[in-house]
Amino acid sequence: MVTERTLPTSNPDSAAISREEGLRIYKDMVLGRLFEDKCAEMYYRGKMFGFVHLYNGQEAVSSGVIQAAMNPGDDYVCSTYRDHVHALSAGVPAREVMAELFGKATGCSKGRGGSMHMFSNEHKLLGGYAFVAEGIPVAMGAAFQVRYRKEVMKDPNANQVVACFFGDGASNNGQFFETLNMASLWKLPILFVVENNKWAIGMAHERATSQPEIYKKASVFNMAGVEVDGMDVVAVRAVANEAVKRARAGEGPTLIEALTYRFRGHSLADPDELRSKEEKEIWFARDPINRFETFLTSNNLAKAEELKEIQAEVQRTIDEAVEFAESSPEPDPSELRRFIFAEDV
């Protein structure tokens, strides 16, 4: 068993989180967890097909960056093939995400994308990408157009930032190095968020990279780099807020390495036999939702009964999303060639 990397510590009591914000973040995290649980159920019941990669365990990263530090619907989000929860945090309705997973015409990608290709122009979700590191240059392009609109076109509304999510495996791909170099050179408003869940499919991160501490790679590009406990939404929020502040001020990108863990196999087709029981138990004990519940109740921001009510409300939303997906129409075969070009969206 590989020695566990020491997680960075933070002082959550010093973080000024209001009751309203705390409950909003909690609801987003619960939505992500229960949505993915329902996806697993629907997949095994034969309602979904193909590869489905779930996000269970990593909710603090999506909620801590998108919901807590960004402006969903205005700022841009670029995802990976593990994209359902990023879409939810970005504001895409659960019913549209579920319908997409069912391959229905009412899905956010009109049934064309499925699990790995969530997209929503309305919510500034730039897409999920099946190929590792594929979305990194796309995200940089979005950040470049923001700066171009601001400085060349003098657009007063061009103050968006971009959050680009990818896994530890992507940090050894060529797109990663080329894109970080350009983004730093041009001081683009982008957050490169590495969700280091220790495993790139079936390859342990420590076995595949000469520098396991990914955030240190930022120094090569004269870029801010920081590691954070990706199981602590309060810590993620603090780091992301600072990165967003720097980006909006024109101070360039930040590489954030969030140390996290997926509670399920790589995909629902993965028997998950490579990871040891001991390793899993260490990380299960760090469940980000349980930790945030403790934070909220111990800081008198919420009562346990209120959190249970939120869980029930979210479950009703998800149940309604399944009903919506099941009753939605299949894409019409006559529209097979629609939505290929942007002008037809």
Side-chain angles (χ1 to χ4, degrees):
M1 178 178 172
V2 177
T3 302
E4 289 292 338
R5 183 167 156 188
T6 301
L7 294 175
T9 58
S10 64
N11 181 12
D13 293 330
S14 66
I17 295 183
S18 67
R19 167 183 161 81
E20 180 182 7
E21 182 185 9
L23 293 179
R24 175 170 55 81
I25 294 172
Y26 179 76
K27 183 177 181 179
D28 190 65
M29 294 177 71
V30 171
L31 175 62
R33 175 69 60 86
L34 297 184
F35 187 94
E36 297 291 69
D37 287 344
K38 180 60 71 171
C39 285
E41 177 189 339
M42 293 295 104
Y43 180 87
Y44 292 128
R45 288 175 56 186
K47 300 290 186 178
M48 299 175 190
F49 304 93
F51 286 101
V52 177
H53 307 80
L54 300 187
Y55 198 76
N56 299 58
Q58 301 181 205
E59 297 88 357
V61 185
S62 182
S63 297
V65 174
I66 302 172
Q67 273 289 318
M70 301 177 70
N71 297 323
D74 188 40
D75 290 328
Y76 295 90
V77 173
C78 194
S79 187
T80 67
Y81 49 70
R82 205 179 300 279
D83 56 355
H84 314 161
V85 177
H86 293 151
L88 294 170
S89 291
V92 182
R95 53 165 42 193
E96 292 185 18
V97 179
M98 189 66 75
E100 187 60 38
L101 287 160
F102 277 56
K104 298 299 184 71
T106 54
C108 58
S109 298
K110 306 185 188 306
R112 269 76 168 173
S115 175
M116 295 188 284
H117 300 284
M118 298 287 167
F119 173 84
S120 177
N121 182 55
E122 175 186 356
H123 300 93
K124 299 295 192 297
L125 178 67
L126 300 175
Y129 295 88
F131 291 115
V132 174
E134 183 184 10
I136 300 178
V138 174
M140 191 197 71
F144 177 80
Q145 63 86 21
V146 172
R147 184 176 177 192
Y148 187 88
R149 283 167 43 223
K150 182 176 184 178
E151 298 187 4
V152 179
M153 301 179 70
K154 307 301 180 183
D155 182 351
N157 297 316
N159 195 38
Q160 292 84 12
V161 298
V162 181
C164 177
F165 295 90
F166 50 94
D168 46 280
S171 67
N172 288 324
N173 284 39
Q175 297 100 313
F176 171 85
F177 297 99
E178 294 179 43
T179 301
L180 264 67
N181 180 62
M182 295 171 72
S184 183
L185 189 65
W186 295 339
K187 292 191 180 299
L188 300 184
I190 183 170
L191 280 62
F192 295 104
V193 185
V194 186
E195 301 192 76
N196 183 356
N197 60 24
K198 292 176 57 67
W199 291 86
I201 305 182
M203 173 60 73
H205 174 62
E206 291 81 1
R207 293 182 59 195
T209 182
S210 56
Q211 174 48 284
E213 295 176 290
I214 301 171
Y215 76 99
K216 291 184 177 179
K217 295 181 180 181
S219 63
V220 178
F221 306 104
N222 195 28
M223 180 189 301
V226 61
E227 64 174 343
V228 65
D229 182 353
M231 309 299 274
D232 182 353
V233 71
V234 180
V236 174
R237 167 186 175 272
V239 166
N241 270 325
E242 182 63 28
V244 168
K245 181 180 178 181
R246 293 184 65 257
R248 293 201 203 280
E251 297 175 8
T254 301
L255 175 62
I256 300 172
E257 181 184 6
L259 303 175
T260 185
Y261 200 73
R262 52 175 168 79
F263 287 174
R264 294 179 179 268
H266 173 68
S267 74
L268 287 175
D270 175 16
D272 196 21
E273 298 173 341
L274 295 174
R275 303 186 300 175
S276 70
K277 179 182 178 181
E278 293 76 17
E279 177 184 291
K280 293 177 187 178
E281 289 178 347
I282 288 172
W283 287 91
F284 289 164
R286 299 168 177 166
D287 188 306
I289 294 179
N290 292 344
R291 289 179 67 178
F292 195 47
E293 287 178 352
T294 300
F295 173 85
L296 291 173
T297 54
S298 63
N299 285 279
N300 297 317
L301 295 174
K303 297 180 179 179
E305 294 76 15
E306 293 178 289
L307 301 183
K308 290 181 180 179
E309 290 175 4
I310 290 176
Q311 295 170 19
E313 178 188 350
V314 168
Q315 190 62 62
R316 288 192 294 270
T317 298
I318 293 171
D319 292 341
E320 188 276 333
V322 172
E323 293 177 8
F324 174 78
E326 289 186 314
S327 62
S328 292
E330 302 277 349
D332 194 310
S334 67
E335 295 189 334
L336 177 64
R337 294 179 178 84
R338 282 197 69 193
F339 309 115
I340 296 175
F341 301 103
E343 58 265 25
D344 199 30
V345 172

